Amino acid sequence: MTTTTPRTVRSGEDRGTRASAEAATVIRRRKTDWTGWIFTWPFAFVFVFVFITPLVYALWLSLFQNQLVGGNRFVGLANYVTAFQDPSFWEGFGRVFAFLLIQVPIMLLLAMVAALAIDSARLYATGLFRVVVFLPYAVPAVVAVLMWGFLYSDNFGLTASINEWLGSAVLQPFARQWITASIGNIVTWEFVGYNMVIFYSALKTIPTELYEAAEIDGARGWQVVKAVKLPAVRGAIVIATIFSIIGSFQLFNEPNVLQPLANNVITSSFTPNMYAYNLSFAGQQYNYSATVAIIMGVITAVIAYVVQVRGSRKEDR
């Protein structure tokens, strides 16, 4: 005859209570997870509607071709083959790629120098200096380009006044050999302050212990910058470089606004973005325009990813 002791009964009741509590916890966790998804759906909806849907639609357009007879016809990758053989596209791409290689390092170097000057605590009126450097970024892009277009003009503005004073046309910002440099000057003026803020914010997060250790080791001035500050802001440099790469490949606003002032120099295919824009809105070639946009998006993403990976590896070291 088997007898159940009170301890055994109580142990079974404890296990049952524990199992019930665990089941209730799992149910609550599931409810919490679904609650989180509910809070994220507004962003997810906007992301799909604003980013994913246009991307899918552009990809779909790039696989078709509008013909006089037969209408919109599926052509597969024929538009991509045409784009890779299009000299106008590659001329614009080469221009923005050269623009990236020259303008971006100069802009980031100036931004880093400004950030280091503010962080050094040796600069007088740092607040005023910071505002003055950042102020061009606060100017609307179209207004900034129009202002520089006035300064660059050969008939009026600062350039015309200097040429008149010198007695010859020494300065020609709209000349074919100088137009890319003139646009680079505008972009640099606009975005040095923006990148300065990124670098300066990263400099302010450096622990004071690193400066104390460098001081104990006898580091001074440029040695502190080289050994402490620059390695500490490498992540910010990578981010600023990626943003600048994307902005360079998306170059559109500056040449498009300046085109009426330099009509014979800035063509409709001056940059890939201008080429895609004019193909679509002026040439009604929506399918080929979407193809150019997709190719530029892929190239930009690949180059930005390579820069990010290389920057992350150096940071890990």
Side-chain angles (χ1 to χ4, degrees), residues 112 276 294:
M112 179 60 72
I294 290 293

Side-chain angles (χ1 to χ4, degrees), residues 52-110:
I52 300 298
T53 302
L55 186 62
V56 173
Y57 182 61
L59 183 61
W60 180 83
L61 280 177
S62 67
L63 302 177
F64 289 81
Q65 193 174 74
N66 194 11
Q67 299 178 339
L68 294 176
V69 180
N72 216 26
R73 187 173 65 88
F74 179 79
V75 294
L77 300 178
N79 288 326
Y80 291 91
V81 174
T82 303
F84 282 114
Q85 298 174 350
D86 188 351
S88 297
F89 169 73
W90 288 112
E91 182 182 355
F93 176 81
R95 186 175 290 110
V96 296
F97 190 74
F99 180 88
L100 184 156
L101 293 178
I102 299 173
Q103 185 271 334
V104 169
I106 293 174
M107 177 181 63
L108 296 183
L109 177 62
L110 293 175

Side-chain angles (χ1 to χ4, degrees), residues 291-311:
T291 304
V292 173
I294 290 293
I295 293 175
M296 284 304 302
V298 172
I299 293 175
T300 304
V302 170
I303 294 179
Y305 178 75
V306 171
V307 171
Q308 180 183 7
V309 170
R310 291 182 62 86

Side-chain angles (χ1 to χ4, degrees), residues 158-296:
L158 181 62
T159 299
S161 299
I162 293 176
N163 288 336
E164 183 179 358
W165 179 68
L166 294 175
S168 61
V170 177
L171 299 179
Q172 294 181 334
F174 289 146
R176 190 175 301 276
Q177 65 270 25
W178 294 111
I179 187 64
T180 304
S182 300
I183 295 175
N185 179 61
I186 298 174
V187 175
T188 302
W189 180 81
E190 288 179 310
F191 290 97
V192 162
Y194 172 79
N195 291 288
M196 177 201 69
V197 171
I198 295 177
F199 296 152
Y200 180 66
S201 300
L203 288 171
K204 299 304 291 184
T205 63
I206 300 176
T208 56
E209 292 81 1
L210 293 179
Y211 293 116
E212 294 173 356
E215 186 177 356
I216 293 174
D217 292 339
R220 296 289 187 276
W222 170 246
Q223 294 176 338
V224 175
V225 172
K226 184 179 179 180
V228 178
K229 293 187 176 183
L230 291 181
V233 301
R234 183 174 286 116
I237 295 174
V238 172
I239 293 174
T241 303
I242 292 174
F243 287 166
S244 301
I245 290 172
I246 296 172
S248 297
F249 281 128
Q250 291 180 345
L251 186 65
F252 173 80
N253 187 61
E254 289 78 11
N256 191 58
V257 175
L258 291 176
Q259 188 177 21
L261 300 176
N263 195 23
N264 296 326
V265 177
I266 300 179
T267 62
S268 60
S269 59
F270 189 79
T271 68
N273 267 14
M274 283 188 66
Y275 190 38
Y277 174 83
N278 287 292
L279 283 171
S280 179
F281 290 94
Q284 306 298 314
Q285 300 182 45
Y286 305 111
N287 304 100
Y288 191 50
S289 174
T291 304
V292 173
I294 290 293
I295 293 175
M296 284 304 302

